[in-house]
Amino acid sequence: MSVAKILEDARELHGDIVQLRHDLHRHPELGLELPRTQEKVLEALADLPLEITLGTGLTSVGAVLRGTAGETSGDARPAVLLRADMDALPLQEETGIDFTSEVANRMHACGHDLHTSMLVGAARLLAERRHQLAGDVVFMFQPAEELLAGAPMMIEEGILELSGRRADAAYGLHVFSAGGNTGRFETKPGVMMSAADALFVKVIGRGGHGSAPHQAQDPVPVMAEMILGLQHMVTRQFNAHDPVVVSVGMVKAGEAINVIPDTAEFGASLRMYSDQARTKMQSAIPRLLEGIASAHGLEVDINYHVGGRVTVTDEAHTAFAADQITELFGAERHHRLAAPLGGSEDFADVLARVPGSFICLDATPLAGGPNAAFNHSPRAAFDDSVLVDGTALYTQLAVGQLAQLAGV
């Protein structure tokens, strides 16, 4: 099957893909409930020979395309899963683009509108080629990636077995609004993205007047000691080659400068790149914070929230993805990441169960240059030119992997 033909057909779809992407961008939705987005995806897939399944606990869309080539059936029939996330972020858009969000404090600042549109385009291209597919393609349109909640729920509802058996391979794609290498694909075998946990801490003291701190139990300096202690802990208790990142982004205490408050609170984002480091953090943090509180005669309430897992790609499938990128676009369009990314992804839950890979695509605006805003910024913008590339790659990954699985 000609990769040149896949690229040609993807280019012919460019106008339709752009139109869908702009529509989704104007009407962003958050979290698990994306009714309008789900409706638009269903409309875009309506004329295709797909078996559609809707989520029950979330507004997901699952679809199966049955290839008609080959003679395998049932448990012997290979299946490849392709995933796109659909949710937006609670931000007020400041890009100034002509299709800017029409919903206050809602914005597609992470490019999920591109992912959804590209996967719709791939569904169309693959449907045109179903007679050449010796297996099935599962399309996973997922809400709530930003909450790291949608993929686990879709897995629970059966997306990995939607074709009738567990998928043999799974691929996801993510665009980035900064980097300065528009159109470049990036892959990494093994650990690719971090786990993401959250820490919420309340230091409980006894308030009083600022002129007489000895008559109170001041939680503020104890909280400050805890924040610094966490930074010291990760440099002295954790291997520098298996890094841990603690970022305190929320601090709250008091209302007046001369009043010692009863309590002080802070919250932190925790990033780890191995299950071992994550397990150690879950015991090391309470030990440290409780020790500091006890040393000062105060109490502490610790809420450790376990979030998304480490994203680990399969080495063979990542090499396969790199080969497909090279075949489609040339070797200069592929880059192998030297180190994992600091972000987190709930596609990690899929890759923990199905071998596959996750691919990054630089979508820096062509006029953005080195000062382009990164994902999750209210000024993050993405170039429509990459929509064809992502559509073609999704398509080629399914075509190539099904051929490999079927021994064609």
Side-chain angles (χ1 to χ4, degrees), residues 83 96 107 110 134 153 197 238 243 260 281 285 303 320 346 349 357 366:
R83 177 272 207 159
M107 178 188 174
C110 204
M153 291 183 68
D197 292 349
F238 290 84
I260 295 172
M281 282 287 279
I285 285 178
N303 181 4
F320 168 80
D346 69 356
D349 288 84
S357 195
L366 294 176

Side-chain angles (χ1 to χ4, degrees), residues 212-274:
H214 60 287
Q215 295 178 352
Q217 288 182 308
D218 192 346
V220 177
V222 176
M223 174 181 66
E225 185 175 335
M226 290 177 176
I227 292 171
L228 292 175
L230 286 169
Q231 303 301 330
H232 295 157
M233 180 191 74
V234 299
T235 67
R236 291 297 176 265
Q237 297 187 35
F238 290 84
N239 190 330
H241 299 290
D242 186 10
V244 169
V245 178
V246 177
S247 297
V248 176
M250 183 274 288
V251 177
K252 297 179 182 179
E255 300 290 339
I257 63 171
N258 63 344
V259 177
I260 295 172
D262 285 326
T263 62
E265 302 178 38
F266 70 93
S269 169
L270 314 173
R271 306 278 171 165
M272 294 75 59
Y273 295 89
S274 72

Side-chain angles (χ1 to χ4, degrees), residues 38-158:
Q38 183 189 58
E39 178 184 357
K40 289 298 177 181
V41 169
L42 291 173
E43 287 178 3
L45 301 177
D47 63 334
L48 301 181
L50 301 173
E51 301 169 12
I52 302 290
T53 301
L54 303 184
T56 56
L58 71 173
T59 53
S60 61
V61 177
V64 179
L65 174 68
R66 303 287 183 185
T68 57
E71 300 178 356
T72 56
S73 61
D75 289 345
R77 188 175 180 79
V80 172
L81 181 146
L82 304 175
R83 177 272 207 159
D85 39 11
M86 305 189 294
D87 56 319
L89 286 157
L91 293 174
Q92 183 62 46
E93 184 164 356
E94 299 175 10
T95 61
I97 57 177
D98 59 6
F99 54 95
T100 194
S101 171
E102 297 175 6
V103 185
N105 299 314
R106 301 288 186 271
M107 178 188 174
H108 271 294
C110 204
H112 297 185
D113 50 335
L114 284 85
H115 306 162
T116 302
S117 304
M118 291 187 293
L119 190 56
V120 165
R124 188 162 296 279
L125 295 186
L126 287 164
E128 294 171 357
R129 292 161 169 77
R130 65 183 305 206
H131 63 287
Q132 298 171 311
L133 302 177
D136 304 326
V137 183
V138 177
F139 301 95
M140 177 181 178
F141 292 92
Q142 178 206 310
E145 188 280 326
E146 297 296 352
L147 302 178
L148 300 178
M153 291 183 68
M154 290 191 73
I155 292 169
E156 182 68 24
E157 293 190 0

